[in-house]
Amino acid sequence: MNDITSPRTASACPDRSTKFSWIRFIVLALLLLSRGAFAAEEWTGLPFAEVRAYAWPADTNGRQVILPGIKLREDVLNKEGALLNDDQIKRLQAAVTGKHTQHALMRCYSPHNAFVFYDSAKKPVAFVEICFDCLGTATQPKSSAEWKDFPGLAKIFFELKLPVGHWPSLEKFNQFFESAKREKVPSPQH
């Protein structure tokens, strides 16, 4: 006897290669959608190849350390910068996006530290300039976080063995930050 499959039965069971094609399509679609959902946390929104950390002397006298055109002020302590690893880059991006603890702000702004994002041609494309003494930042492009994760930022600098403003240790800085969290102040205008 000949087996004859009805057209209805044949179309209801796609062959194995069609099933795998659909599975691949669905997985790819989910990956693309998830990347779009998390893109806001990838702060710069610009392609970059590496991030380097820089520090300046404690006596910056209220002058910015990142100059127009994302140029480093010439008295930088580590002219080559300290290269961040992938984990540090993720933590840096998380520290300047999302919700973080509100804290007091000082009226001063005397930055001593910065992170600079570079493209594959070693051209600077973004930065985070930080004053750990005043708890202020400047970013380009503007970050989405109203408040930054200063303990997280300080931890990266201490890991890289770079000075953090006037703070001799991460523990001392964290004590200062804990006391600053208790004071309520208007949101920063940096």
Side-chain angles (χ1 to χ4, degrees):
M1 195 172 222
N2 291 341
D3 270 350
I4 300 176
T5 308
S6 72
R8 183 176 181 173
T9 306
S11 65
C13 298
D15 67 10
R16 193 167 255 229
S17 66
T18 303
K19 283 182 187 178
F20 286 120
S21 293
W22 275 105
I23 290 170
R24 278 182 277 189
F25 172 77
I26 291 169
V27 169
L28 179 62
L30 288 173
L31 285 172
L32 290 174
L33 288 173
S34 68
R35 179 160 166 68
F38 294 113
E41 294 302 313
E42 294 175 5
W43 162 65
T44 67
L46 302 165
F48 65 89
E50 66 182 31
V51 180
R52 293 186 176 267
Y54 298 92
W56 281 263
D59 61 344
T60 59
N61 298 322
R63 297 180 297 151
Q64 293 178 315
V65 294
I66 302 294
L67 304 174
I70 313 181
K71 295 193 185 313
L72 303 176
R73 206 176 70 209
E74 65 185 35
D75 58 339
V76 64
L77 297 173
N78 57 330
K79 294 192 184 311
E80 298 301 314
L83 185 64
L84 275 68
N85 64 36
D86 289 342
D87 177 62
Q88 290 167 329
I89 292 170
K90 282 182 186 178
R91 289 187 286 136
L92 165 59
Q93 289 178 311
V96 297
T97 61
K99 289 195 158 280
H100 301 288
T101 303
Q102 184 176 347
H103 54 80
L105 290 171
M106 313 319 162
R107 292 196 182 266
C108 65
Y109 182 65
S110 186
H112 302 99
N113 299 83
F115 295 104
V116 179
F117 292 69
Y118 294 92
D119 66 14
S120 59
K122 303 284 188 216
K123 179 183 176 209
V125 295
F127 71 85
V128 179
E129 182 183 71
I130 307 159
C131 180
F132 286 104
D133 299 327
C134 307
L135 300 178
T137 63
T139 63
Q140 182 183 318
K142 187 169 174 54
S143 79
S144 63
E146 181 177 4
W147 301 96
K148 309 301 187 282
D149 176 9
F150 277 88
L153 295 170
K155 183 178 180 184
I156 296 169
F157 277 99
F158 279 108
E159 288 171 358
L160 297 169
K161 303 198 181 337
L162 290 172
V164 175
H166 292 92
W167 300 104
S169 69
L170 183 58
E171 294 75 25
K172 294 279 187 193
F173 174 77
N174 285 339
Q175 288 171 358
F176 162 72
F177 187 77
E178 283 301 313
S179 69
K181 284 186 346 187
R182 292 192 259 297
E183 296 181 36
K184 300 293 183 200
V185 294
S187 64
Q189 300 302 313
H190 299 294

